[in-house]
Amino acid sequence: MMKDVMIDIETLATSNNALILTIGAIKWDRKKPLKKKDDLDKFYRRININSCKKIGLEINQETLNWWENQDEVVRYEALENNENRVDIKTALLEFIEWYGNCKFVWGNGDDFDCVIMTNAFEKCGLSPPWKFWETRYVRTLYDLGGVKNYMLKKLDCKAHNAIDDCYKQIYGCKFAIKKLGIY
């Protein structure tokens, strides 16, 4: 059984009340060698923006401006591709089911992915599938392991694609774990 889940979200703000555009997550095992991205159990949903607005999630103009400067393909996936967009509550319910009995959830910081997701769960009247003490932070592990983002550039991952970002973060965690001599 996989215990670890890496999440990455794309948003329209940076506050804990940010509107969520996409949710990506991958189950992984920090103690075993990294599998190819295609061989990992993944969760990905494009979220209906109006469903996020209805529950009071925020849009920030600075973040909108930032998205305007991103690659067209990435922007299309996050903002403009309206195929298969689901209501935020539906996506969160599906995420809970997919998450199953996993133990630890990893995000790229102690103030972003997990916090924003927890807020969205609460706004939808749901509880996240993890306890607050089960959150883990990628940037802390990178810092302890001496891993810098430029060391991860060789991966074939698109920036700001939630699944690709998850995979890159898992790779970075594995790299840090190896450098630290853990497991």
Side-chain angles (χ1 to χ4, degrees), residues 15-20 51-59 87-90 92-93 96 114-128:
S15 68
N16 67 349
N17 199 39
L19 187 145
I20 300 171
S51 71
C52 290
K53 288 179 182 177
K54 284 180 186 174
I55 63 167
L57 299 181
E58 299 172 351
I59 297 173
D87 178 88
I88 184 67
K89 187 170 185 175
T90 299
L92 295 176
L93 287 167
I96 290 168
C114 295
V115 172
I116 294 170
M117 287 280 289
T118 296
N119 182 60
F121 278 113
E122 290 171 359
K123 292 229 176 206
C124 289
L126 303 169
S127 296

Side-chain angles (χ1 to χ4, degrees), residues 47-88:
I47 309 302
N48 179 290
I49 292 171
N50 289 329
S51 71
C52 290
K53 288 179 182 177
K54 284 180 186 174
I55 63 167
L57 299 181
E58 299 172 351
I59 297 173
N60 166 297
Q61 188 60 49
E62 184 178 323
T63 306
L64 278 172
N65 294 343
W66 178 85
W67 275 107
E68 287 301 316
N69 294 316
Q70 300 310 304
D71 178 82
E72 184 179 330
V73 173
V74 172
R75 195 172 59 242
Y76 177 78
E77 178 64 24
L79 288 164
E80 299 168 27
N81 183 354
N82 289 315
E83 294 178 31
N84 301 319
R85 288 204 177 263
V86 297
D87 178 88
I88 184 67

Side-chain angles (χ1 to χ4, degrees), residues 8 14 19 24 35 39 49 51 65 67 78 81 91 95 101 103 121 130 132 141 143 146 150 164 174 179 181:
D8 187 80
T14 56
L19 187 145
K35 295 179 180 179
D39 295 336
I49 292 171
S51 71
N65 294 343
W67 275 107
N81 183 354
F95 180 84
N101 293 323
K103 178 102 173 131
F121 278 113
W130 60 80
F132 71 90
L141 185 56
D143 181 50
Y150 74 84
D164 282 356
K174 292 287 202 176
K179 285 182 74 173

